[in-house]
Amino acid sequence: MPTALITGITGQDGSYLAELLLAKGYRVVGIVRRSSTTPYERIAHLVDRVELISADLLDQHSLVDALHDAAPEEIYNLAAQSFVQTSWTQPVLTGEFTALGVTRMLEAMRKAAPRARFYQASSSEMFGKVVQTPQNEETPFYPRSPYGVAKVYGHWITVNYRESFGLYAVSGILFNHESPRRGLEFVTRKVTDGAARIKLGLASELRLGNLEARRDWGFAGDYVDAMWRMLQQDRPEDYVVGTGETRSVRQLCEIAFGAVGLDYRDCVRQDERFMRPAEVDVLVADASKAHARLGWTPRVTFETLVRSMVDADLARHRRAGR
């Protein structure tokens, strides 16, 4: 039974990855921060099947101890301050977790589990002000937020440790991936939850930022499969993962509100407060390398994804209402 260690196991990607690895027969160990609360909602159905240990990306010693105790064959570093908007109000904290946290994980691996295989969660936000479309593994980075800058650091320090110390360390440059487990602060979930609330009479309008912003959106459950495939290859290499198609926030609203029989134009209001200080250009993935070498393709369509998120939010509000 191979052992996989996941940072960020309580997040969207961590929960789907834990499900995937358990189905493949792994022993799954999750790192969680010590807290007075237990925010395990996304893994509540898995808690009795995974092992949870306390450590913190800000504390080097705790990470070394965690890797030494878990003795993993695979390490998935998914923990980060992952909300772009928050990175503008907390840029230093974002750098500590999302950038330097990667270095601390790699140092812990080098000292306690040098033969393990390491996955770093990179992001399409690294491309930012894009210099070519679509974006592939060779596209230069031009981040447009503290989050994107921090992710670039995490990406390049992973490359550096791979080349300097011979570690099996890879980065998955994942484009936006969503699910019913996505945090409410992210625009996709904000829209699907807003549509559900308005349908049920719990709200009358939804305020959003730039409706013309376009993203390459896929299903998180598909993307964690790509993560796993990256660590099964003979050679460690980085991969872009995405659908190769873009949708605007306006199209997202049209599908989400249409799923509950509403016209988004009657419900959605644009609000300057939710505009980014610096917007990124069109992000769209060229995932041909992942298709060819990993045998990976996305399975869930954008329309199916959005409708499933709306259905989940409707069900959640109805349960709360009862």
Side-chain angles (χ1 to χ4, degrees):
M1 179 184 294
T3 296
L5 182 139
I6 305 173
T7 72
I9 193 172
T10 60
Q12 170 190 256
D13 292 6
S15 66
Y16 281 110
L17 179 60
E19 287 178 350
L20 176 74
L21 296 174
L22 288 169
K24 292 181 179 296
Y26 279 69
R27 169 186 171 234
V28 175
V29 180
I31 284 183
V32 294
R33 299 180 68 194
R34 191 176 300 279
S35 172
S36 58
T37 59
T38 55
Y40 299 161
E41 178 184 357
R42 296 185 182 93
I43 60 167
H45 60 302
L46 303 175
V47 166
D48 61 345
R49 300 174 59 199
V50 301
E51 301 173 34
L52 300 177
I53 56 178
S54 294
D56 196 311
L57 288 183
L58 302 184
D59 179 19
Q60 182 74 61
H61 184 72
S62 71
L63 297 175
V64 173
D65 285 348
L67 266 64
H68 182 269
D69 294 343
E73 282 83 17
E74 296 175 7
I75 301 166
Y76 296 87
N77 186 41
L78 310 184
Q81 191 299 102
S82 58
F83 188 41
V84 174
Q85 194 68 32
T86 297
S87 78
W88 288 105
T89 57
Q90 296 182 302
V92 176
L93 183 67
T94 298
E96 286 287 351
F97 278 110
T98 308
L100 291 177
V102 185
T103 307
R104 296 185 188 102
M105 280 300 301
L106 287 164
E107 269 295 288
M109 174 187 173
R110 190 167 71 90
K111 294 177 179 178
R115 294 184 179 85
R117 297 188 168 198
F118 180 89
Y119 172 85
Q120 164 60 17
S122 287
S123 168
S124 60
E125 289 287 333
M126 300 188 305
F127 295 122
K129 188 176 177 65
V130 298
V131 298
Q132 70 180 59
T133 300
Q135 295 88 47
N136 60 31
E137 293 80 6
E138 305 303 319
T139 303
F141 301 136
Y142 195 145
R144 297 273 279 171
S145 67
Y147 170 78
V149 172
K151 279 293 185 182
V152 169
Y153 176 95
H155 179 88
W156 281 116
I157 200 66
T158 301
V159 172
N160 189 268
Y161 270 66
R162 178 172 72 218
E163 295 178 350
S164 300
F165 301 114
L167 301 180
Y168 192 112
V170 305
S171 286
I173 306 173
L174 271 54
F175 282 62
N176 294 64
H177 45 288
E178 319 297 320
S179 77
R181 301 177 193 173
R182 189 61 142 154
L184 284 166
E185 68 271 23
F186 291 89
V187 68
T188 47
R189 187 72 191 290
K190 186 176 180 180
V191 168
T192 61
D193 181 69
R197 288 172 57 83
I198 293 171
K199 177 64 176 179
L200 296 174
L202 301 174
S204 60
E205 67 175 17
L206 174 65
R207 292 187 172 270
L208 298 172
N210 181 11
L211 297 183
E212 308 311 322
R214 301 183 68 88
R215 294 292 184 274
D216 183 333
W217 276 304
F219 172 51
D222 288 343
Y223 286 39
V224 297
D225 176 58
M227 297 177 189
W228 175 78
R229 290 172 184 254
M230 289 179 209
L231 296 194
Q232 314 313 310
Q233 306 306 302
D234 292 334
R235 295 177 52 197
E237 296 184 54
D238 305 325
Y239 293 87
V240 161
V241 176
T243 69
E245 300 177 354
T246 64
R247 301 290 197 286
S248 67
V249 175
R250 189 179 298 278
Q251 289 172 295
L252 165 66
C253 292
E254 185 176 9
I255 294 170
F257 281 85
V260 293
L262 297 174
D263 187 332
Y264 81 94
R265 291 171 294 188
D266 298 330
C267 310
V268 174
R269 304 288 179 265
Q270 203 158 9
D271 191 326
E272 292 289 334
R273 292 178 302 166
F274 300 112
M275 297 288 190
R276 290 186 181 184
E279 183 60 82
V280 303
D281 296 319
V282 176
L283 296 176
V284 55
D286 172 5
S288 54
K289 180 180 175 182
H291 299 331
R293 299 193 189 179
L294 302 180
W296 178 86
T297 54
R299 296 168 296 171
V300 178
T301 66
F302 181 70
E303 292 78 6
T304 299
L305 168 63
V306 174
R307 289 177 180 275
S308 73
M309 294 172 67
V310 173
D311 289 344
D313 283 320
L314 281 169
R316 180 173 57 86
H317 286 300
R318 284 170 176 154
R319 287 194 303 270
R322 286 202 303 271

